[in-house]
Amino acid sequence: MSDKRTIAIIGGGAAGLMAAAYAAEICDPDTDEILLIEQNDRMGKKLRITGKGRCNLTNDCDRDEFLQNVPTNPRFLYAALAGFDTKDTRDYFESLGVPLKVERGKRVFPVSDKAGDVVEALVKHCRELGVKTMQGRVTSVHTEEVDGKPAVTSVRVGGKDIPVAAAILCTGGCSYPVTGSDGNGYKLAESLGHTIVTPKASLVPLVCEGNLCGRMMGLSLRNVSLRVKDTAKNKFIYEDFGEMLFTHYGVTGPLILSASAHIPDVESGKYELHINLKPALDDAELDARILSDFKKYANKDFINALSDLLPVKAIEPVVELTGIDPRVKVNAITKEQRRALVSVLHDITLHPIRTRPIAEAIVTKGGIKVGEVDPKTMQSKLVDGLYFAGEILDVDAYTGGFNLQIAWATAYAAGNAVKNRH
């Protein structure tokens, strides 16, 4: 290491790359050195797989709408978003040579649909700005008392202590641990006196009771609606429209992942998932559609007359749910039986019993208690020179680019603040 003042960024994911880049942009290269430490063999491993490899990097909405999509500690983000909002994110990445596009739900993606383009643009920008990189795992952050308060003095990597003026923890949460988000940052922060709000899975697939989902395993549905009911309150608490997927254990897909953020305490009997396979048609319109199909297949058995109405994997389960004999001729089906079919198509009810493991979650709910962090600078209120950015903080949002925007905004705040460290 040189004699320059070193700023250590721990973690080379979305927040780490942004924090390193911005710190390098504003710090004096003659006196300051930005060191990005990543334990993986390449940067942005998790970022490369976000959005199914397409990278939904922000959402094209204003701050008020944005904060409505942040269920955990939204007020903490006011200052960070004021400093670096969704428009700033779009402008920033387009300035790095990543053209963007806006899709349904105001989701912003690279035109190329390649998350790797976002990662490589950040990595290239850091390189051009002179950011130093090191592969290794930070095992401790050391402090000394300065004016009666602990201040960061060094970080330990691979058995070696590296003197630093500040450290920004950007190590992520506990989701997708194979990408490096293994909870190490929580241990580092806790060792320095910080409170860790217990990490839980958010934006995670749901396990459902029974074998209905398993029988439709692999079936992907588009343009369906989902309502989540709190059974104790006898009240619907979430509703959305979009895509979902049946699996051997239950359900997943954008609709389900978003719903899971509203029900972090899933247990048997607590919630119901109500799926409408034909939300564009009311009861009368759907009945008319069914009558048209039945006329077309007048001499067919009921189970063989639904191929125009349903995907193959859904036919047998739907027939069973109606209670109608699968071998009855469709021209013998009564009005009451058609009503039963309409009812099932408009409301297939599933009973979630738990989430999948946190390792399968897109984001982690929980992390560094935000009351111990300055919302303007992301600096610890307990330790001078210690900063946080990204998923390590106890702030999480719904799907749609909101979580990555939190990473960019908090990283910008931290990267901007370290220039004042001496």
Side-chain angles (χ1 to χ4, degrees):
M1 304 300 295
S2 70
D3 293 331
K4 294 180 180 179
R5 183 186 77 140
T6 299
I7 307 295
I9 288 84
I10 304 171
L17 285 165
M18 174 64 83
Y22 199 68
E25 284 182 15
I26 64 172
C27 288
D28 185 346
D30 292 330
T31 58
D32 301 323
E33 182 171 83
I34 310 302
L35 176 64
L36 179 55
I37 306 169
E38 168 58 44
Q39 64 182 5
N40 290 317
D41 58 1
R42 64 174 180 167
M43 303 289 175
K45 195 170 181 180
K46 184 177 179 182
L47 184 56
R48 293 175 190 273
I49 62 173
T50 59
K52 297 181 179 178
R54 297 177 61 217
C55 193
N56 179 192
L57 52 81
T58 191
N59 192 282
D60 187 21
C61 65
D62 62 26
R63 185 171 62 176
D64 288 343
E65 184 179 351
F66 187 96
L67 292 172
Q68 290 171 9
N69 284 275
V70 183
T72 307
N73 297 317
R75 292 180 61 84
F76 176 76
L77 295 172
Y78 268 94
L81 289 171
F84 198 83
D85 63 15
T86 60
K87 183 179 184 301
D88 293 321
T89 295
R90 299 196 305 276
D91 291 345
Y92 187 83
F93 282 99
E94 294 208 320
S95 75
L96 297 184
V98 183
L100 305 175
K101 60 182 177 180
V102 180
E103 297 187 358
R104 185 181 66 83
K106 302 181 182 179
R107 292 167 166 83
V108 179
F109 293 90
V111 170
S112 67
D113 286 328
K114 294 179 180 178
D117 289 354
V118 175
V119 179
E120 295 309 322
L122 285 168
V123 169
K124 179 184 177 184
H125 191 46
C126 284
R127 187 185 307 120
E128 291 171 344
L129 291 167
V131 173
K132 305 296 183 182
T133 60
M134 172 185 290
Q135 184 181 355
R137 183 179 179 85
V138 175
T139 54
S140 59
V141 177
H142 303 148
T143 63
E144 291 181 1
E145 290 289 321
V146 178
D147 297 328
K149 185 177 182 180
V152 170
T153 56
S154 66
V155 298
R156 190 167 185 82
V157 187
K160 179 182 178 182
D161 290 335
I162 301 172
V164 298
I168 308 177
L169 284 182
C170 306
T171 51
C174 296
S175 55
Y176 285 117
V178 294
T179 65
S181 298
D182 58 6
N184 183 49
Y186 299 148
K187 296 175 184 176
L188 296 175
E190 197 167 29
S191 73
L192 296 170
H194 274 278
T195 304
I196 308 301
V197 178
T198 303
K200 296 180 180 179
S202 187
L203 305 182
V204 64
L206 299 174
V207 178
C208 297
E209 67 181 21
N211 65 355
L212 179 62
C213 295
R215 293 174 63 196
M216 292 191 282
M217 179 176 64
L219 175 60
S220 180
L221 298 175
R222 294 190 176 195
N223 303 320
V224 298
S225 69
L226 170 71
R227 293 192 299 166
V228 179
K229 185 177 184 179
D230 183 322
T231 56
K233 298 178 181 177
N234 194 30
K235 177 182 178 182
F236 288 100
I237 58 172
Y238 175 77
E239 183 172 357
D240 203 357
F241 174 88
E243 303 175 23
M244 62 171 290
L245 172 70
F246 289 96
T247 72
H248 67 283
Y249 56 76
V251 283
T252 187
L255 267 181
I256 303 301
L257 299 178
S258 293
S260 74
H262 295 260
I263 51 174
D265 52 348
V266 179
E267 59 184 56
S268 182
K270 193 163 188 178
Y271 299 101
E272 293 175 349
L273 306 180
H274 293 263
I275 301 164
N276 186 342
L277 299 180
K278 302 293 178 181
L281 303 175
D282 63 23
D283 286 359
E285 291 169 334
L286 183 53
D287 187 49
R289 165 67 194 277
I290 290 168
L291 278 172
S292 175
D293 284 359
F294 281 6
K295 183 177 180 181
K296 178 179 178 181
Y297 297 109
N299 297 317
K300 294 275 190 179
D301 292 347
F302 177 44
I303 199 166
N304 295 323
L306 300 174
S307 57
D308 291 352
L309 191 66
L310 291 168
V312 172
K313 284 190 174 183
I315 291 175
E316 189 173 309
V318 165
V319 168
E320 287 189 15
L321 289 171
T322 67
I324 302 170
D325 182 350
R327 294 303 169 188
V328 68
K329 299 298 182 183
V330 292
N331 55 18
I333 289 179
T334 66
K335 182 177 181 180
E336 289 71 22
Q337 288 174 320
R338 290 202 319 272
R339 189 178 296 121
L341 175 58
V342 168
S343 178
V344 170
L345 293 173
H346 274 166
D347 189 2
I348 290 179
T349 304
L350 302 176
H351 301 276
I353 55 178
R354 63 180 180 275
T355 66
R356 290 291 285 178
I358 195 169
E360 297 181 27
I362 291 179
V363 299
T364 304
K365 181 182 289 292
I368 308 296
K369 185 177 181 180
V370 296
E372 299 170 354
V373 181
D374 184 329
K376 294 181 180 179
T377 64
M378 298 299 137
Q379 183 173 209
S380 165
K381 293 179 179 179
L382 311 181
V383 180
D384 281 345
L386 179 66
Y387 300 79
F388 305 101
E391 195 178 348
I392 192 172
L393 292 159
D394 181 27
V395 184
D396 62 271
Y398 304 139
T399 57
F402 303 104
N403 287 290
L404 271 181
Q405 177 61 38
I406 291 171
W408 310 133
T410 55
Y412 175 92
N416 185 59
V418 294
K419 70 179 179 181
N420 298 318
R421 292 296 304 166
H422 298 292

